[in-house]
């Protein structure tokens, strides 16, 4: 949570594909270079690089700094986190430029997530593994699936609510030339898609891709001299739930399945920005699975407890609705760049540069990273 | 480099041994708990944890947060860095408390560095490995040794200058009940110790130990209400040299072996604190090997180019000298907690709590982390 003088000034992507045929270093370098150019900067202006990875599936920021031929690297972080990282790293970059550690930090995530180590196959070797593995409870979507099942049960929501998220986001993807999944999806075809782990159908799950995404975080005074309108970092917050970390299965120990990290960091996040949930005009919610969108909307106070599905089914979160959500199609449709692209989409929208999918009111955006009991969030605003 | 309102308020250690017989989590938890208590805080006050590791040889900050039963984890970083990390992580924690992300962050390093994965056996699999491995050039002390050899050659220094560092620091260790190597060392016994990698003798190399060390970084306003005098974080800086990162052997490509990261970040570091090298009253310099102390003293401007050895031989860096250096005996003698204990010693001295080895003038201290072309540094001051 912060008191920053910082903004996102540029974003960059590679193509997203099933098989890039390229090294992760090449992907990272291309996305970072594109973001730097998009910000109106040259490589000589950038003095910070940060990133995150799991399973050694990416490259270090120093290697990318070298590949970019940055003249000076004053700030660098390589963080051992997954989907909870993007907003957290943008927050750290905001703190860095606010305290003079750097002027322009490029934050990236790069992975061959489909042709290389697949995130969906990642296992967690915490203390609980000895109990989980013998019963075949060993993959990330199983943890999230059980959590989602209980969340639906406790809040009275159903597969129709999950399906509404998938359908709404797929419609956005059709206005996003970058999206990997662009074929139309309606509720019937959603319900016809195969169950992977109950309650998840294939359409509830993000799509693994090869690719990279980067954003440039700049000191606010520098941002104001650049061509794009600054996407001001009004607040950033991170939270890990109590008892988290010894094993990813630890969430089974909590007694309230309807809460996740977004509900825990919400009050601090909004207070730091001097805003309230009602001020949010659109949201980009981390969506490794459809369920996390419902949890995130409720957790942030953008929907009532148990009311997120109804909000989505009403069309309010679709383009033209009163609270557009995951306007790039989300990770579900654009592709799983581990949520870095969720932040980039938020910045593009706040800057008014989202083209066919631009939301009309784009002064205040809530962004999240992460799914369960630890994660991070940002409030991005126009430079008012 | 910064503009912080932050201080180190407490430090904690475990015993240092050859074989702890305990998990790294247990070591980390003990050191963090000790640091929290030392700061005059309870676990309920602490809302941030960060750490670093190489080779998966430690534990994540979320696990330690859980073990400490912290009620709220608002800030957490696990950084994939080695010896360049401690000052960098303290800088990040200072930025975090300065921007309201947390109030009290405990920064730790824990490892079974002797009975578990040994840092000295770590290999680097960068792009240059294909050229290095066939000739047996594959261990960290070989990289540093070749760098040191060239450094001595270019600056006209000799084994007597390296030896003076080892002898001076060992004398401090005798006043440090925590130090692993406390047997007396004079220049004759230094010269009689076996060559490991030319120019390094065994006495030039840090000693691998099992153990943990932690420091608490607090918001300055909170620090002023705590029992220990604050060790104010006046500035922090990180720098990675150009062309670093693709392979650790890359330093062979540079054309000036007498420079390392300390010379590159020096001007920014001192400017941020409004200080000059002449203001430094004592220094804690990262010392995986004796040579990095000479490089660090010269790089920071605390000695002339090529003059660090003479400074040490003159007794100026010994207890009672005009510029005490590595007052705990350094990593060479206290033990290799990867430089976290270098920062902790600096804080203890600035706070005036270093007992028999307390330096008389302790208002301004320079601290470094890292050996070659990337690293970090702090200026700690009393609360003037």
């Amino acid at each position: 949570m912060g008191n920053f003088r910082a903004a996102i000034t540029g974003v960059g992507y590679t193509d997203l594909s099933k098989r890039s045929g390229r090294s992760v270093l090449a992907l990272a370098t291309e996305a970072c270079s594109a973001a730097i150019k998009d910000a109106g900067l040259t490589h000589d202006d950038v003095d910070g690089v940060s990133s995150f990875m799991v399973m050694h599936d990416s490259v270090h920021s120093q290697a990318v700094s070298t590949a970019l031929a940055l003249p000076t690297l004053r700030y660098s972080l390589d963080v051992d986190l997954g989907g909870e990282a993007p907003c957290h790293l943008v927050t750290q970059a905001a703190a860095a430029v606010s305290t003079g550690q750097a002027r322009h930090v490029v934050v990236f995530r790069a992975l061959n997530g489909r042709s290389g180590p697949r995130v969906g196959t990642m296992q967690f070797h915490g203390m609980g593994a000895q109990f989980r593995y013998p019963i075949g409870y060993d993959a990330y979507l199983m943890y999230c699936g059980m959590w989602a099942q209980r969340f639906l049960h406790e809040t009275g929501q159903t597969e129709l609510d999950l399906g509404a998220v998938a359908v709404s986001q797929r419609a956005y993807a059709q206005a996003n030339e970058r999206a990997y999944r662009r074929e139309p999806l309606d509720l019937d075809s959603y319900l016809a898609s195969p169950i992977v782990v109950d309650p998840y159908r294939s359409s509830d799950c993000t799509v693994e891709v090869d690719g990279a995404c980067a954003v440039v975080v700049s000191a606010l005074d520098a941002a104001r001299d650049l061509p794009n309108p600054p996407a001001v970092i009004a607040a950033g917050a991170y939270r890990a739930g109590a008892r988290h970390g010894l094993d990813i299965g630890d969430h089974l120990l909590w007694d309230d399945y309807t809460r996740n990290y977004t509900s825990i960091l919400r009050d601090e996040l909004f207070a730091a920005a001097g805003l309230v949930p009602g001020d949010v005009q659109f949201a980009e919610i981390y969506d490794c699975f459809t369920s996390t969108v419902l949890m995130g909307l409720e957790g942030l106070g953008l929907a009532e407890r148990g009311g997120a599905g109804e909000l989505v089914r009403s069309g309010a979160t679709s383009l033209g609705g009163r609270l557009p959500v995951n306007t790039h199609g989300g990770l579900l449709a654009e592709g799983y760049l581990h949520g870095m692209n969720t932040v980039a989409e938020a910045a593009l929208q706040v800057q008014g540069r989202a083209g066919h999918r631009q939301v009309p009111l784009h002064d205040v955006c809530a962004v999240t990273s992460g799914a369960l009991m630890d994660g991070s969030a940002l409030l991005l605003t126009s430079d008012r």
Side-chain angles (χ1 to χ4, degrees), chain A:
Chain A
M1 196 177 62
N3 185 14
F4 309 122
R5 301 284 294 167
I8 297 176
T9 50
V11 307
Y13 304 83
T14 63
D15 286 341
L16 310 187
S17 70
K18 259 188 160 165
R19 182 173 291 279
S20 71
R22 303 165 66 196
S23 71
V24 179
L25 177 60
L27 295 173
T29 305
E30 179 184 330
C32 290
S33 196
I36 293 165
K37 183 176 179 189
D38 182 59
L41 297 167
T42 72
H43 293 196
D44 287 352
D45 298 315
V46 175
D47 52 2
V49 184
S50 69
S51 188
F52 64 101
M53 68 178 87
V54 294
M55 303 190 296
H56 290 90
D57 64 351
S58 191
V59 288
H60 281 82
S61 52
Q62 285 192 8
V64 174
S65 166
T66 300
L68 293 168
L70 301 188
T72 303
L73 189 61
R74 298 168 65 204
Y75 172 83
S76 169
L77 276 184
D78 292 288
V79 173
D80 191 5
L81 284 175
E84 67 275 71
C87 289
H88 192 39
L89 279 185
V90 168
T91 300
Q92 300 322 306
V97 299
S98 298
T99 56
Q101 295 180 62
R103 289 287 282 173
H104 301 284
V105 178
V106 59
V107 184
F108 75 90
R109 176 70 165 119
L111 68 168
N112 279 323
R114 183 63 168 75
S115 70
R118 295 177 65 166
V119 178
T121 65
M122 184 169 55
Q123 296 187 321
F124 297 86
H125 303 294
M127 290 168 63
Q130 61 189 317
F131 306 113
R132 290 187 287 98
Y133 282 23
I135 59 169
Y137 181 58
D138 62 354
Y140 186 64
L141 85 171
M142 296 176 179
Y143 313 136
C144 289
M146 191 179 288
W147 180 288
Q149 194 71 279
R150 184 78 189 179
F151 169 76
L152 294 177
H153 173 74
E154 290 196 8
T155 63
Q157 298 179 82
T158 72
E159 60 188 357
L160 299 180
D161 299 294
L162 298 181
V165 172
V167 169
S168 169
Q169 293 190 194
R170 190 68 65 85
Y172 279 115
Q174 289 167 49
N176 177 6
E177 69 291 341
R178 214 171 5 248
Y180 186 84
R181 275 182 179 158
R182 297 177 65 184
E183 65 279 13
L185 182 77
D186 62 18
L187 195 60
D188 287 341
S189 49
Y190 166 82
L191 290 169
S193 70
I195 291 275
V196 182
V197 167
D198 197 6
Y200 293 147
R201 294 174 165 82
S202 58
S203 301
D204 289 295
C205 304
T206 181
V207 56
E208 294 164 320
V209 293
D210 294 358
C213 177
V215 306
V216 176
V217 175
S218 303
L220 186 56
D221 63 319
R224 288 176 172 152
D225 293 331
L226 294 175
N228 297 326
V232 174
I233 299 165
Y238 168 89
R239 191 61 62 90
R243 297 197 58 78
H244 187 93
L246 288 178
D247 189 79
I248 195 164
D250 286 356
H251 62 265
L252 299 174
L253 301 171
W254 297 312
D255 55 5
D256 182 357
Y257 269 62
T258 64
R259 288 164 59 86
N260 75 350
Y261 74 92
T262 54
S263 58
I264 304 175
L265 60 71
R266 174 183 64 204
D267 291 347
E268 283 189 14
L269 180 74
F270 283 102
L275 296 169
V276 297
D279 294 323
V280 172
Q281 295 173 332
F282 70 103
E284 310 293 351
I285 307 289
Y286 183 87
D287 59 325
C288 45
F289 306 101
T290 48
S291 57
T292 69
V293 178
L294 302 178
M295 287 184 191
L297 290 171
E298 295 178 17
L300 289 177
L302 304 177
E304 295 295 310
R305 174 182 145 93
E310 185 180 341
L311 185 77
V312 176
R313 283 187 283 107
S314 77
T317 65
S318 302
L319 191 61
R322 69 170 174 81
L323 183 74
V325 172
N326 288 350
T327 53
H328 52 326
L331 308 177
L332 293 179
E334 188 174 78
Y336 195 63
L337 296 180
H338 227 149
M340 202 67 234
N341 44 335
T342 305
V343 178
E345 174 70 9
L348 276 176
Q349 290 279 0
V350 169
Q351 294 176 325
R353 301 195 294 143
H356 296 307
R357 62 185 191 278
Q358 178 65 49
V359 301
L361 301 175
H362 52 88
D363 289 319
V364 181
C365 176
V367 198
T368 70
S369 300
L372 301 178
M373 281 307 280
D374 73 316
S376 55
L378 296 170
L379 290 173
L380 298 183
T381 69
S382 55
D383 191 16
R384 297 172 298 180

